[in-house]
Amino acid sequence: MPKFAYLIQAHSNFIVFKELILALQHPLVDIFIHIDKKVDIEPFKKIIDDNATYKKNAYFISDRVDVKWMGFSQVQATLHLLKYAVNNNEYSHISLISGADYPVKRIEEINDFLSKNIHSEFISFWRLSDRPTWLHKIEYYYPIDFIGIRNWKKDAFKLFFWGLFFSIRHLFPKRSFLKNIEPYGGSSWWTITGDAARFIVNFSCENTEFNNYYKYCHASDEMYFQTILLNSRFKENVFMYKEYTQWRNDCRSDEFEDNMLDEKLFNLRFIDWSGRNGFYPTVLDESDYKLILNSNCLFARKFDDKKSEKLLSMIKKNNSHE
């Protein structure tokens, strides 16, 4: 029987985290957890230690990273998780989720779905050349792991630095991208095969130039893994690859960005970017319940301990009746 691994990046929302771990319990599932180095890991460990069932398949990794939002540090945390997973077992699929995610379907259904799509890579992607507003992310040096960019307008030093950076960025010489590689972008959250995960780990260890380039990009975690896979032999197995190619053929290049294919068709994650939370993905509540259930998604995000309490109960109840 195939086994499955879940990689979790968490830093808050203890209630959602506990419910997520509970929902992922299954004999064929292992869970590897990275807790942001800047926060106390003990409350998360207590959730696992207080329940004997969780101890059987949930593992905290020791290589913790101080994750900076949109920085290469998030890639590093993911790579640490991937290394733990590929070194511990042979998995059919490995899923990267956050501590603010929750499965839309029962874990048995998710396992069954992945078993029927044994060679598929579920990762959203687009060529950066098809989405010009993303090109700045690789064209300029972004020192995000040294000077955080999250909420930069609320900190005097960050406001000075990033305000100046954005105002004169167009004067900087543009970086040349890596030779013979097509840059891609997409969502941070995905489900890939164990073989693809092993390929990524090996690639990251062997390609220092590639890593050094992405250390100074904007939102590296939304490009690094897509670029590796879509420039490899695995690209033909990426879910929706043929549909994306057909879309490019049918669309005028100047219309690409206004007509991008829906992300959740690729990675099966329900994420609301409608703007209800400004620049950030929407914190879901009970008003999203029907949309989530009617989607083809395996997971949804973001959930919050307080705002999403009722929605979480509704999804749990629905899954328990199926």
Side-chain angles (χ1 to χ4, degrees), residues 46-60:
K46 189 174 187 305
I47 290 171
I48 305 298
D49 292 341
D50 285 351
N51 193 307
T53 302
Y54 298 170
K55 292 183 182 180
K56 295 178 182 178
N57 72 339
Y59 311 95
F60 290 93

Side-chain angles (χ1 to χ4, degrees), residues 3 5 27 30 37 68 72 84 115 118 132 135 165-166 187 189 209 224 236 241 248 255 281 289 294 306:
K3 291 198 69 175
D30 287 330
K37 194 173 182 178
K68 299 294 194 300
F72 189 73
Y84 271 82
S115 297
I118 202 74
L135 287 172
F165 178 91
F166 291 128
S187 172
W189 315 105
E209 183 184 10
Y224 183 92
E236 298 290 344
Y241 181 77
R248 292 189 85 243
E255 296 177 336
Y289 177 69
N294 291 332
K306 294 181 179 179

Side-chain angles (χ1 to χ4, degrees), residues 1 25 48 71 74 94 107 143 200 208 210 234 246 261 263:
M1 293 290 290
Q25 293 304 304
I48 305 298
Q74 190 151 345
I94 297 175
I107 191 63
I200 288 172
T208 303
F210 187 88
F234 291 95
Q246 187 62 52
L261 296 174
E263 263 190 279

Side-chain angles (χ1 to χ4, degrees), residues 198-215:
R198 193 167 289 102
F199 176 83
I200 288 172
V201 169
N202 291 336
F203 183 95
S204 70
C205 292
E206 297 168 0
N207 289 271
T208 303
E209 183 184 10
F210 187 88
N211 292 333
N212 287 340
Y213 190 94
Y214 275 96
K215 281 181 182 178

Side-chain angles (χ1 to χ4, degrees), residues 13 16 100-102 284 300-305 308 311-312 315:
N13 288 316
V16 175
D101 289 33
Y102 193 76
L284 304 172
R301 71 183 307 270
K302 297 176 63 171
F303 287 81
D304 174 82
D305 282 355
S308 309
L311 173 62
L312 199 59
I315 296 175

Side-chain angles (χ1 to χ4, degrees), residues 80-94:
H80 289 332
L81 284 165
L82 278 173
K83 288 174 184 177
Y84 271 82
V86 300
N87 288 335
N88 276 276
N89 214 320
E90 294 287 335
Y91 296 105
S92 164
H93 284 84
I94 297 175

